[in-house]
Amino acid sequence: MARATALQHAWQAFDSGDFLHRLDARIAVRSESQEAGRDGELRRYLTDFVIPEIEKLGFTWEIVDNPVGGFGPFLLAERIEVDAALTLLTYGHGDVVRGYDAQWREGLSPWQIVVEGERWYGRGTADNKGQHTLNFAALKSVIEARDGRLGYNVKLILEMGEETGSPGLKAVCEAHRERLAADLFIASDGPRLAADSPTLFLGSRGSFNFDLRLRARDGAHHSGNWGGVLSNPATRLANAWATLVDAHGRILIEGLRPPAIPAPVRDAVASLEVGVTPGDPAIDASWGEPGLLPAERLFAWNTLELLAIKAGNPEAPANAIPGEAYAHCQLRFVVGSDRERFLEHLRRHLDAQGFEDVEVSSARMSQMNATRLDPTDPWVGWALASMRESSGKSPTLLPNLGGSLPNDVFAETLGLPTLWVPHSYPACSQHAPDEHALASILREGLGIMAGLWWDLAEQGRDIKKERERWHR
């Protein structure tokens, strides 16, 4: 059976409306992992939608409870062929962020796909139900086109808690390390660089969230009666933050900055343009690390962001000096950063600047480490060639995503080369009201993934051997 026929089968699933119908049923499941009381919906997404589909493809499966209490389960599945040349591990997440039902534009609902031109509106169309549903559909097309035999094994882990920081994912992968053992990892999440540019990324920036808090006293006190004799924790916290990052976004603590950008990474991002898709916000040319291109600042450097700050009552300010101030902050970081000592660097710096009264703390559960597959790895060249053949376009290579994913579990805990092929775009309103996918990306993505699954059957054994020689 020709490769082209497998791609045609995948596109037919889109053109016939079958893919839309199946995705719409999944969008209707309110699998909001950030909301209490959704345990039944999280499990139902697996039992009523994913499991029946993968069983038809020859998978066996098991639902594994989360070792972290109060969070959603995991689906582990495998499709094993005797004498297979290699093993693929793939991944997805069936949970979504809160629907924010009342905030969607009139005529739209987070729990039903509404098609308006190119846009398919619905919570999870982009993140991540649409993406892993697409990958399963493409795999189905290839299995059928190859008369039921791929020549490689396929293993799957699908989680229901990614939007709460993937609690339990690392522990499950450690506990089932042998079961999840593979030669290669391919999955889909996050956006392309631009809507019309098929994209491959090899990891993600890490995410280190931390809190700054200064508690001066119990309660607030009248600013007229006490102003000038009581310290203001909001003022001190604002000044403390200004010693961490300057007014143009440059990180001022050496321990929070990355090493020099490696040459292969700099080469990979040299020609990339960011913020050029219609609907993207305008890039601030003077923001961030001086001397770097926008793509280098986004994909190859660290950024320190103040995400939320509170003192007093912002909704109804009173003439009172607040007793406490709080800030929630985030460091996005690349491979090579001193991640094990971020808190130590913050504490030492604040003490040296005279801010011993500012508390620093982090939530370890929500942290993700930075990862990046070597752009010269043979799997990278193979994937780019396959994507180019299927799409007729020159794909974009990102050394890592600007955002963060639990890729460290696959790259470090399981020790796999990781390839991510996203089927969304930056202006999809991911995590916001009016989330949507683009029909053109979904259709193109079906062909790209069918091509990758097909080429893995035809070329995977040789690339595996080539990588073994390259790795030595």
Side-chain angles (χ1 to χ4, degrees), residues 2-46:
R3 183 184 195 272
T5 303
L7 271 65
Q8 288 295 335
H9 285 178
W11 288 323
Q12 178 58 30
F14 184 91
D15 296 340
S16 68
D18 177 66
F19 179 76
L20 173 60
H21 174 74
R22 284 187 290 129
L23 182 57
D24 187 45
R26 296 181 180 201
I27 297 302
V29 181
R30 299 183 64 123
S31 52
E32 301 163 289
S33 58
Q34 298 170 336
E35 291 286 353
R38 293 286 190 263
D39 294 353
E41 290 292 88
L42 295 175
R43 192 170 292 264
R44 187 170 75 89
Y45 183 79
L46 300 178

Side-chain angles (χ1 to χ4, degrees), residues 60-105:
T60 58
W61 57 271
E62 177 187 4
I63 293 180
V64 176
D65 290 334
N66 200 315
V68 181
F71 293 95
F74 296 84
L75 175 64
L76 303 184
E78 50 270 320
R79 184 184 187 277
I80 305 300
E81 295 185 3
V82 178
D83 299 327
L86 75 161
T87 299
L88 165 76
L89 176 65
T90 189
Y91 159 88
H93 67 89
D95 66 313
V96 296
V97 298
R98 294 181 178 92
Y100 301 114
D101 301 41
Q103 299 180 34
W104 286 56
R105 178 167 56 78

